[in-house]
Amino acid sequence: MINTQEILETLSMIDRQKLDVRTITMGISLFSCVTDDEKKLCDRVYDLITRRAENLVRVGEEIEREIGVPIVNKRISVTPAALVTGGIRSPLPLAHALDKAAKETGVDFIGGYSALVQKGMTQADRALISSIPEALATTDLVCSSVNVASTRAGIDMDAVKLMGQCIKDLASKTADRHGFGCAKLVVFANAVEDNPFMAGAFHGPGEGDCAISVGVSGPGVVKNALESVRGEPFDTVAEMIKRTAFRITRIGQLVAMEASRRLNAPFGIVDLSLEPTPAVGDSVAQILEEMGLEACGTHGTTAALALLNDAVKKGGVMASSHVGGLSGAFIPVSEDIGMIHAAEKGALTLDKLEAMTCVCSVGLDMIAVPGDTSAETISAIIADEAAIGMINTKTTAVRIIPAPGCQVGDMVEFGGLLGRAPVMPVHPFSSSAFIARGGRIPAPLNSLKN
């Protein structure tokens, strides 16, 4: 039985503490569309997506009205495009078909213009990677991701090198928008197949024909809860976060099950990730500061983030029948008002962010660097982050924007949920000879688990 106090607490979480369901994402398999006829492939993909997802936005809005919880985004993820484009000359027409289908269904984004190249690249993979700058510069809603490493396979350094240049080219093609296209591209290690969050979402080859997954949020709810245990031991802090994560996840489970029923599609997972926004009171950094840090990035930040990430998972996993995706705490600089302020005052640096990614979800996210940063430096940043994921058997990623014409100290405005990013310095020393080696960094010994 739900009592009056619980109802009032939930209303407060929504009204004053920024609680929302960040996304309902419909995953759609494209394998049934495969053909070596370019036009037929694009037509089949468009028809399949618009048929499967024709009611996604309407159902999301109905659920939002009926239960009173904001559902910020409705999204689609599809089979990694490189897996279905091997028989055609160029994957670019498929990117435009995806964009057209996304606009027809009314969703916010569509993810899956992707390639899985952790152990090597096929001709289709190379074609897709080379097309990414043009594809993301000439579409509005298409998001892309490339998985360049895994614990079982190691790091494909040839792919890492290509992605550094790809990001530079994409920034150049969207220079009139401060390199905005790079915000739609993620480079992964150990990418998961059921991630509902953009820009890295794709519907993995191990998934079924269709699935409904939900990503919850609620950094503001967690911060508010911690205010009531200020000065208490960390045992108490962890317990409070677990209880709060349970309540947040129950709302996500309710939305996911109801959307699954109404859309006649299997329930996939609930992703527990705390996803911040640029709004005041909706910040992961401010949760860490509530634990006693003067500024996010100072000594103790990694320990605080480790506690937060672990407690979120422990609390949330008991509240949903299927937990998946990335599940933890995101630290996207431009999308978190606390991270922005910490970077502006010099407390948060690229090196500290890299250390923090050892213990949180994903990795170096929505970071702006000077526009003249070399492709090799970007590739080296990707390699470092991939190594963290590979060795620690976790998902890591890089979403970095070399902002054209901008230098350290400038502020790059993206707007909306993408916020604004202070341009952060990179090391001035070259990694060119390191990246030029190519080949593959072997998988670690802990990959041999059979």
Side-chain angles (χ1 to χ4, degrees):
M1 178 70 72
I2 299 176
N3 60 41
T4 303
Q5 183 61 32
E6 289 174 318
I7 294 172
L8 291 174
E9 287 176 353
T10 301
L11 289 174
S12 177
M13 288 162 64
I14 295 167
D15 290 340
R16 295 195 292 273
Q17 299 164 27
K18 314 291 186 189
L19 174 64
D20 60 57
V21 170
R22 189 53 49 86
T23 180
I24 296 177
T25 301
M26 174 179 280
I28 301 173
S29 172
L30 302 184
F31 286 127
S32 63
C33 302
V34 173
T35 174
D36 59 2
D37 185 305
E38 183 181 288
K39 185 177 186 306
K40 282 185 179 178
L41 174 63
C42 293
D43 288 346
R44 289 177 181 179
V45 166
Y46 176 84
D47 291 343
L48 176 63
I49 292 172
T50 53
R51 185 175 70 252
R52 285 275 193 184
E54 64 175 335
N55 296 319
L56 176 60
V57 172
R58 177 182 60 79
V59 166
E61 291 172 346
E62 288 175 356
I63 295 172
E64 184 176 15
R65 286 194 300 270
E66 290 173 19
I67 69 174
V69 176
I71 300 173
V72 179
N73 281 300
K74 294 84 179 173
R75 299 163 171 167
I76 296 168
S77 64
V78 298
T79 304
L83 297 180
V84 300
T85 56
I88 63 175
R89 181 181 57 83
S90 168
L92 266 175
L94 179 61
H96 292 111
L98 292 173
D99 198 49
K100 182 181 176 183
K103 290 174 178 176
E104 177 64 23
T105 57
V107 297
D108 298 280
F109 289 106
I110 185 165
Y113 197 72
S114 306
L116 310 177
V117 295
Q118 58 270 20
K119 199 171 183 179
M121 289 179 281
T122 66
Q123 183 177 348
D125 293 324
R126 288 183 180 275
L128 185 128
I129 290 172
S130 68
S131 75
I132 287 174
E134 183 69 18
L136 298 193
T138 57
T139 59
D140 297 314
L141 305 181
V142 174
C143 293
S144 178
S145 59
V146 178
N147 191 70
V148 299
S150 73
T151 298
R152 292 300 297 253
I155 306 174
D156 184 344
M157 290 299 292
D158 293 323
V160 169
K161 181 179 180 180
L162 287 178
M163 292 312 300
Q165 189 60 55
C166 178
I167 290 168
K168 283 287 290 184
D169 292 345
L170 179 53
S172 177
K173 284 183 177 293
T174 55
D176 60 326
R177 292 172 283 165
H178 304 293
F180 172 78
C182 297
K184 301 192 292 175
L185 173 61
V186 183
V187 185
F188 276 118
N190 290 319
V192 296
E193 298 190 355
D194 54 4
N195 167 23
F197 287 106
M198 297 298 170
F202 62 83
H203 190 67
E207 298 286 310
D209 287 331
C210 189
I212 296 294
S213 295
V214 162
V216 297
S217 190
V221 179
V222 175
K223 180 184 182 298
N224 183 77
L226 292 187
E227 290 174 0
S228 65
V229 294
R230 195 168 286 171
E232 296 291 323
F234 282 113
D235 315 74
T236 305
V237 171
E239 187 64 24
M240 179 60 73
I241 294 172
K242 287 194 306 185
R243 291 180 180 178
T244 306
F246 180 90
R247 293 162 62 196
I248 293 170
T249 307
R250 289 303 287 174
I251 293 174
Q253 172 81 3
L254 170 64
V255 170
M257 294 299 293
E258 190 60 22
S260 173
R261 183 184 67 81
R262 297 188 188 192
L263 292 166
N264 193 30
F267 165 45
I269 56 91
V270 174
D271 189 315
L272 313 177
S273 299
L274 294 180
E275 168 75 353
T277 72
V280 174
D282 199 25
S283 163
V284 170
Q286 290 172 350
I287 296 174
L288 307 180
E289 291 167 356
E290 182 59 39
M291 293 187 200
L293 303 173
E294 182 179 354
C296 178
T298 192
H299 304 298
T301 298
T302 306
L305 184 59
L307 183 154
L308 173 64
N309 209 55
D310 181 64
V312 165
K313 292 180 180 181
K314 286 176 177 174
V317 75
M318 299 298 293
S320 175
S321 53
H322 296 288
V323 169
L326 301 167
S327 289
F330 288 171
I331 52 171
V333 174
S334 79
E335 299 173 16
D336 186 310
I337 191 66
M339 297 282 178
I340 294 169
H341 290 163
E344 286 178 321
K345 66 178 71 170
L348 192 63
T349 65
L350 197 57
D351 288 341
K352 184 59 178 181
L353 282 164
E354 183 180 298
M356 292 164 66
T357 64
C358 296
V359 299
C360 77
S361 294
V362 199
L364 299 172
D365 196 13
M366 287 303 292
I367 293 168
V369 296
D372 60 1
T373 302
S374 71
E376 292 81 7
T377 294
I378 294 171
S379 292
I381 291 169
I382 293 169
D384 282 344
E385 197 60 29
I388 290 172
M390 175 184 71
I391 295 295
N392 291 290
T393 320
K394 70 183 293 292
T395 303
T396 54
V398 173
R399 188 161 51 145
I400 190 167
I401 300 103
C406 295
Q407 297 298 324
V408 173
D410 292 342
M411 186 67 70
V412 183
E413 297 283 347
F414 296 117
L417 290 176
L418 295 175
R420 58 192 178 94
V423 177
M424 304 177 74
V426 299
H427 287 290
F429 307 104
S430 175
S431 306
S432 298
F434 175 76
I435 295 302
R437 286 179 178 273
R440 184 151 55 99
I441 293 178
L445 188 60
N446 64 6
S447 69
L448 300 178
K449 295 185 177 182
N450 289 336

